[in-house]
Amino acid sequence: MSGVVALFTDGADWHAARLEQAMTRRGVECRRVPLSACGFAIGRTATGLLLPGFGDALPAGAFVRVVGQGSFEQVTLRLGVLHALDRLGVPVYNSARAIERCVDKSTTSFLLAQAGLPTPPSVTVQDVATARAVVEAWPDCVLKPLFGAQGRGLRRLPRPDDVPESEAVAGVYYLQPFVPPRREAEWRDCRVFVVGGRAVAAMIRHGRSWITNVHRGGRCEALAPEGAVAELAVRAAAAVGADYAGVDLISAPHDVGQWLVLEVNSMPAWQGLQTVSDADIADALAADFVARVEAAASRGPQ
């Protein structure tokens, strides 16, 4: 494959290193670029973009590992750069549109429901009085940050009075009824890693509490990426338009064998999952990404 691909990431990242190695094994030159260093340069570069290390050239493809923390304006600019790359014919993996759909949990829930996939009911509102009325109707709700990740900022709200004031949640309340475990204090859920419409790895996460994320002390147990969990995860990734995704599932409390889709992550970590998976996840990602870049190159300018 001719050309250099951009790997959008921040700093020294274990995942980015694995991806770069996997692409290099395929003879693909990979250049790490932080999206925080990118921007627009209308009238100053041939592309109208500022991409460190590329000058007036475009990357052959762009793999988005990290968008990065920032203000609303900064994140909007970074997503704008991804939209522009797509407009210029560069394969972007995942696309800005898919990232936007997944980062906003309320949009993810809406799209999952529209696709007919089993997912917990949810309400997203902007005022505290309405939020408290929801908690009164659904005793024991979970409040999630709309843009949160890795279990940060999750709260259980047993009573309406537990709902915080608006400024504590950036003015948005994303609420779901708490999904109880099948057995008392048996905190577990499922993560399935989907690449190119195929489930390549999966695990059961056992938590020390109801928050099971590996970054919060969750323990990983191998699970075969097949059957109902694989099928549901693939459909969930397709519902948001993600090329690759980490899909979180939880057992329905009153329906043995039934799973609910909790979240779809468009920039998922997989370091913990890799410890219990036989598949080389970075290699699967690189293979699918490179195939898409090569297919786009063979089609030529659109």
Side-chain angles (χ1 to χ4, degrees):
M1 188 190 85
S2 61
V4 181
V5 302
L7 175 57
F8 289 121
T9 187
D10 282 343
D13 177 75
W14 178 91
H15 302 84
R18 295 290 293 260
L19 285 167
E20 190 170 12
Q21 292 165 7
M23 292 185 201
T24 300
R25 288 196 297 268
R26 286 173 166 74
V28 176
E29 185 179 349
C30 181
R31 190 169 296 156
R32 296 192 201 185
V33 182
L35 269 170
S36 59
C38 299
F40 290 91
I42 312 302
R44 294 184 63 87
T45 65
T47 62
L49 295 175
L50 178 64
L51 302 174
F54 286 92
D56 287 326
L58 287 171
F63 191 110
V64 186
R65 164 65 199 131
V66 173
V67 169
Q69 297 292 319
S71 67
F72 181 78
E73 291 82 359
Q74 289 172 320
V75 173
T76 298
L77 173 59
R78 295 167 198 173
L79 292 170
V81 169
L82 299 181
H83 278 296
L85 286 169
D86 178 71
R87 177 69 177 259
L88 293 169
V90 176
V92 181
Y93 190 97
N94 280 312
S95 71
R97 191 71 187 102
I99 292 169
E100 289 164 351
R101 288 169 170 172
C102 292
V103 167
D104 177 355
K105 291 183 178 65
S106 61
T107 297
T108 303
S109 291
F110 175 79
L111 292 172
L112 292 171
Q114 286 289 297
L117 301 180
T119 189
S122 65
V123 171
T124 310
V125 295
Q126 298 181 57
D127 68 278
V128 66
T130 306
R132 286 172 177 161
V134 171
V135 176
E136 187 171 10
W138 286 342
D140 199 2
C141 270
V142 175
L143 174 65
K144 299 182 179 182
L146 202 63
F147 300 153
Q150 296 179 343
R152 292 188 292 266
L154 298 180
R155 306 188 200 184
R156 283 178 67 179
L157 306 176
R159 300 174 303 275
D161 289 347
D162 295 318
V163 176
E165 293 298 326
S166 178
E167 61 271 13
V169 291
V172 175
Y173 298 88
Y174 173 79
L175 298 159
Q176 289 182 327
F178 177 70
V179 180
R182 289 279 178 81
R183 298 181 181 86
E184 184 69 25
E186 186 180 70
W187 312 113
R188 61 199 294 271
D189 62 11
C190 175
R191 162 61 66 91
V192 183
F193 208 97
V194 176
V195 178
R198 183 172 63 91
V200 301
M203 66 177 174
I204 297 292
R205 294 184 298 199
H206 298 271
R208 297 175 180 175
S209 70
W210 64 278
I211 302 175
T212 62
N213 298 72
V214 174
H215 278 78
R216 300 290 295 271
R219 176 176 60 84
C220 306
E221 177 189 345
L223 178 69
E226 58 190 28
V229 294
E231 179 184 353
L232 184 55
V234 168
R235 292 176 62 198
V240 299
D243 300 316
Y244 77 100
V247 181
D248 293 340
L249 311 175
I250 192 166
S251 297
H254 306 301
D255 192 347
V256 176
Q258 175 70 49
W259 293 87
L260 306 174
V261 183
L262 282 177
E263 293 185 20
V264 183
N265 303 276
S266 61
M267 293 173 287
W270 68 88
Q271 191 168 5
L273 176 58
Q274 188 62 78
T275 64
V276 296
S277 174
D278 292 331
D280 186 328
I281 298 169
D283 190 69
L285 286 164
D288 189 56
F289 171 64
V290 171
R292 290 169 188 253
V293 172
E294 289 176 340
S298 67
R299 292 192 298 269
Q302 300 298 304

